[in-house]
Amino acid sequence: MRISYEEMHKELTRILIKHGLERERAVLSARLFADASRDGIYSHGLNRFSAFVRAIELGDVKVDAKPTLDADLGVIERWNGNRGPGNLNAYACMQRAIALAHEHTFGVVGLKNTNHWMRPGNYGLMAAEAGCIGILWTNTLPNMPPWGGQDAKLGNNPIVFAIPNGEDPVLLDIAMSMFAYGKLESYARQGRELPVDGGFDKEQRLTRDPAAILETQQALPFGFWKGSGLALALDLVGAAISGGRTTCEVGELPRETEVSQVFMAIDLRRMPDSEAYAKKVKTTLQDLQTAVPRDPQHPVTYPGQNMMRVRRDNLLHGIPAEEAIWNAVKEM
């Protein structure tokens, strides 16, 4: 089924107000969920909303909590999320990183004690729309074994790179695992097998069964040892900048909360060669797309290239939604 953007936003706002968010904060949080689904990131939009509401009901998300400044270190600031709504905390900290970049060219905000930020690409787009390169990442609970190990000791620690390019920015939004857990949940609900191996089952065998991976919480690092090593590095650097928990320490809690995140912005407009750089971006992307495709039906694209096409289609025809998920939300 398809739901209009306006109806989805209105319904999510209603539910968040019912669960204690101030109207203005509920409107923004609901928009961030709806924007994710609008842009085709269904796993971290409407599909993740019920989990967010459950986290509120369990007390993991404090609806009234707002981020507070812990330390001003010049171009770097440390903020405490106070276990508030993850997407609102992330939005505020990306705003702050952009403001620092506008002032100093480079701005960094470390955020501790926060919750799942839902679709991180939302915050990368904020940077690109402000004329900045955005680099941001988070750690998670332990949900991925280190390369060569059998126990989940690493987080799959998603990272985003956003690079301005007019109406079609480069937007790389990836986890350190082959598949994000939201994507695994989507495949499992639909009873579909993964296209490639995505993790380990109870017998420690590589599998394409998303339900088996969700059961073990042992996703496969992308690039095998490379994804494993990068996940560890992001975790340790993120904890250093934010002053918050590492994945190991998040794993000591009953559920995933109090994670650590980093938001970086680089204001390209303050660079002396900003116009020349913008031309380099366009030239590079044009050259990339001249590569002969392995499948003629699927031309080579850059990360984020299809987002605006999907957005326009979903705004025109409605956002695709799984009927059971939409009905469950409507009943809240």
Side-chain angles (χ1 to χ4, degrees):
M1 63 188 304
R2 285 183 178 258
I3 312 298
S4 74
Y5 177 88
E6 292 76 13
E7 182 181 0
M8 182 177 291
H9 183 219
K10 180 180 178 181
E11 191 66 11
L12 300 186
T13 299
R14 175 191 69 79
I15 294 165
L16 292 179
I17 291 173
K18 181 177 179 180
H19 281 80
L21 272 77
E22 301 169 359
R23 170 169 289 278
E24 184 177 354
R25 285 161 58 78
V27 167
L28 175 56
S29 180
R31 177 171 71 78
L32 293 168
F33 277 104
D35 285 357
S37 286
R38 175 202 63 190
D39 290 349
I41 314 301
Y42 310 111
S43 59
H44 286 66
L46 176 68
N47 292 8
R48 192 145 193 121
F49 185 75
S50 295
F52 178 65
V53 172
R54 284 197 300 273
I56 293 174
E57 294 171 343
L58 289 169
D60 295 334
V61 173
K62 311 296 184 184
V63 294
D64 296 328
K66 298 178 181 180
T68 53
L69 180 64
D70 267 1
D72 181 348
L73 307 171
V75 297
I76 300 176
E77 292 181 352
R78 281 182 167 182
W79 288 72
N80 187 332
N82 297 304
R83 294 182 68 171
N87 57 2
L88 295 181
N89 283 346
Y91 184 92
C93 288
M94 191 73 250
Q95 273 191 323
R96 186 59 195 147
I98 292 168
L100 288 170
H102 287 339
E103 182 178 358
H104 303 289
T105 306
F106 184 61
V108 182
V109 171
L111 175 65
K112 71 176 183 180
N113 198 19
T114 191
N115 284 292
H116 195 299
W117 58 5
M118 306 306 148
R119 180 210 180 184
N122 283 337
Y123 323 116
L125 290 175
M126 289 171 61
E129 290 165 3
C132 297
I133 289 175
I135 305 172
L136 48 143
W137 71 90
T138 184
N139 64 9
T140 70
L141 54 67
N143 58 16
M144 189 172 75
W147 183 248
Q150 295 190 17
D151 303 308
K153 297 293 185 180
L154 297 173
N156 64 343
N157 302 347
I159 188 169
V160 170
F161 290 84
I163 302 167
N165 181 46
E167 294 184 355
D168 295 294
V170 176
L171 183 65
L172 179 66
D173 180 349
I174 59 171
M176 298 301 103
S177 54
M178 284 295 297
F179 297 91
Y181 274 84
K183 182 66 71 175
L184 291 173
E185 291 164 0
S186 180
Y187 270 93
R189 278 194 305 273
Q190 297 170 30
R192 296 168 57 198
E193 188 178 71
L194 301 173
V196 296
D197 291 337
F200 300 88
D201 62 18
K202 290 188 297 185
E203 283 72 40
Q204 296 300 308
R205 297 174 301 197
L206 281 172
T207 180
R208 298 187 180 189
D209 181 353
I213 301 167
L214 289 169
E215 182 180 3
T216 62
Q217 291 282 292
Q218 292 186 27
L220 177 68
F222 84 84
F224 307 123
W225 53 88
K226 297 178 182 179
S228 174
L230 185 53
L232 176 62
L234 290 171
D235 180 34
L236 296 179
V237 174
I241 294 174
S242 68
R245 289 179 179 266
T246 63
T247 285
C248 177
E249 292 169 326
V250 173
E252 296 170 354
L253 302 173
R255 292 174 295 275
E256 183 182 76
T257 186
E258 299 186 19
V259 298
S260 301
Q261 297 172 353
V262 175
F263 303 83
M264 295 183 178
I266 303 169
D267 189 350
L268 293 174
R269 294 174 299 188
R270 292 176 60 92
M271 297 290 192
D273 57 349
S274 58
E275 292 186 6
Y277 174 75
K279 292 179 181 178
K280 288 181 180 182
V281 171
K282 291 189 179 298
T283 299
T284 298
L285 298 180
Q286 290 168 358
D287 179 66
L288 180 80
Q289 293 170 88
T290 63
V292 177
R294 295 186 182 276
D295 181 350
Q297 300 299 316
H298 296 90
V300 175
T301 60
Y302 63 83
Q305 181 176 350
N306 290 322
M307 181 187 68
M308 291 306 297
R309 177 186 58 78
V310 172
R311 179 185 295 185
R312 287 190 292 268
D313 183 71
N314 286 348
L315 288 175
L316 180 63
H317 299 107
I319 299 170
E322 296 177 42
E323 187 170 358
I325 291 177
W326 178 243
N327 289 338
V329 167
K330 292 278 287 184
E331 292 171 3
M332 288 184 182

